[in-house]
Amino acid sequence: MMPTTSDPALRAEPGPRRPHSPRHGRRGRAVLLIALVLVIAAGGAAFAYLGTLAATFDASTQKIAAAFPQDSDRPAATPAADGRTPMNILLVGSDSRGATASPAESGASSDQRSDTMLLVHLPADRKKAYIISITRDTWVPIPGHGSAKVNAALAFGGVPLMVQTVESLLHQRIDHVVLVDFEGFKGLTDAVGGVRVNVPAPFTAGQTSGYRFGAGPQTLDGDQALAFVRERYAFPDGDYQRVRDQQIFLKALLAPLARPETIANPLTVSRMVGQFAPYLTVDRGLDARAVAALALEVKDLRPADIVSFTLPTSGTGTSADGQSIVELDQGAADALASAMAHGTVAEYLADRNLQGS
């Protein structure tokens, strides 16, 4: 079950509303990125006895040539008392990959901006996974470029500057970077045989596909799932219902991914890895061996142990140059950074009345 909150600063926050852009289904990428956590666990567990999956993962994923900034400018890893360290994985929604390496893959600056950004924080004891959504329009300092929307870092300085911006924001060292193409979402949904969701109210996804969704339980294929999680204009409260629908879908997707019969079925896992890996671009250190090691560390995590929330903000506003922005709650962000460093994120969330559901 995913957590909910009565605190607006901790809700999944849509940011300023603007005209829809059809470019690569940006609005549903958050669900895809969160689902990646479960795919890593499922695929990694199988690597222990299916060497072909490791080869598939390494051959199908593209690698970022230079993912990290100069080491002297980076936060040090935070060791725990028993010698184990937390792990932070930056997950970023990216544009569709072409036949040649994109600027994101080379690590260079480009005209791209990251559409969705999540930081997965694994405490040293690996008993929880915290997924922190960083709203793309959050106004933050970008090293060497003054203040701008956080998603501009990729355009200004490529993947290394994007990493440096998030590290500076939360004072945490990022261990791995994963860029995900939204098209992988369809393949993952179809690979598990569709996802059964309980649609809260009927609507037509006029924003994307024209699919008509009736109220009640129904099984969605990949194309329908994309329409379901992307739609916002069909609802009176727009982005807020879209976020609720994404949470509904995510819970439904986690169920088949976490079933023992799914993880233990070589054909199913092979299909998931084969469908999903081609849409991943990762740092060079995140190879099949690293994924398998991580999967062993988080093998006991259950959906209830995965807690997602939004980096605290203080509302929307306008920048000096007229951009619609989301304003960072700096005090709350600093408190979160301290909690991540000291392994007290659960207490941080409890202090802010984040309730599990």
Side-chain angles (χ1 to χ4, degrees), residues 27-328:
R27 292 294 180 178
R29 284 195 174 113
V31 175
L32 171 63
L33 294 173
I34 297 172
L36 173 62
V37 175
L38 267 294
V39 176
I40 285 176
F47 288 164
Y49 59 90
L50 289 178
T52 56
L53 282 184
T56 297
F57 182 87
D58 284 337
S60 299
T61 56
Q62 294 195 32
K63 304 302 186 288
I64 305 169
F68 301 103
Q70 292 296 316
D71 200 68
S72 60
D73 297 329
R74 306 185 65 198
T78 306
D82 61 359
R84 298 187 65 183
T85 61
M87 179 176 287
N88 296 297
I89 305 171
L90 184 62
L91 305 178
V92 181
S94 65
D95 292 332
S96 292
R97 298 188 325 193
T100 59
S102 71
E105 288 157 10
S106 68
S109 59
S110 72
D111 60 356
Q112 294 177 311
R113 294 198 177 204
S114 51
D115 297 325
T116 301
M117 188 179 299
L118 302 176
L119 183 64
V120 178
H121 174 68
L122 299 171
D125 62 12
R126 303 296 192 261
K127 292 182 179 179
K128 293 282 187 180
Y130 296 102
I131 303 174
I132 305 163
S133 176
I134 303 174
T135 306
R136 54 174 287 169
D137 291 336
T138 303
W139 196 253
V140 301
I142 296 181
H145 296 271
S147 292
K149 294 179 180 180
V150 67
N151 73 333
L154 185 62
F156 290 159
V159 177
L161 183 59
M162 181 176 63
V163 169
Q164 187 180 8
T165 298
V166 177
E167 288 186 336
S168 299
L169 183 63
L170 289 171
H171 314 300
Q172 297 294 302
R173 188 180 184 92
I174 292 174
D175 300 286
H176 293 295
V177 180
V178 180
L179 292 95
V180 188
D181 188 312
F182 190 60
E183 287 299 309
F185 178 74
K186 293 195 298 184
L188 179 59
T189 301
D190 290 332
V192 297
V195 175
R196 189 163 181 80
V197 302
N198 190 3
V199 179
F203 69 93
T204 298
Q207 175 185 347
T208 54
S209 63
Y211 282 122
R212 171 71 179 173
F213 295 91
Q218 52 207 273
T219 299
L220 309 183
D221 63 21
D223 288 323
Q224 293 167 329
L226 285 179
F228 180 73
V229 300
R230 288 168 58 192
E231 183 60 39
R232 60 183 177 128
Y233 293 131
F235 310 116
D237 55 354
D239 283 324
Y240 290 98
Q241 183 59 47
R242 178 184 62 84
V243 168
R244 289 191 288 268
D245 285 345
Q246 289 183 354
Q247 292 173 341
I248 289 170
F249 184 82
L250 178 59
K251 293 175 187 177
L253 177 61
L254 294 183
L257 286 176
R259 283 198 300 257
E261 58 266 32
T262 298
I263 296 176
N265 187 322
L267 292 178
T268 299
V269 174
S270 179
R271 186 166 63 249
M272 287 193 298
V273 173
Q275 289 273 17
F276 203 56
Y279 297 97
L280 300 180
T281 302
V282 301
D283 66 88
R284 292 186 178 277
L286 193 61
D287 57 10
R289 184 185 300 272
V291 170
L294 175 59
L296 290 175
E297 292 180 10
V298 301
K299 64 183 175 58
D300 294 327
L301 285 181
R302 298 295 177 262
D305 300 321
I306 300 173
V307 181
S308 63
F309 60 97
T310 302
L311 181 71
T313 60
S314 57
T316 60
T318 304
S319 66
D321 59 355
Q323 299 181 65
S324 296
I325 63 173
V326 174
E327 296 176 339
L328 180 68

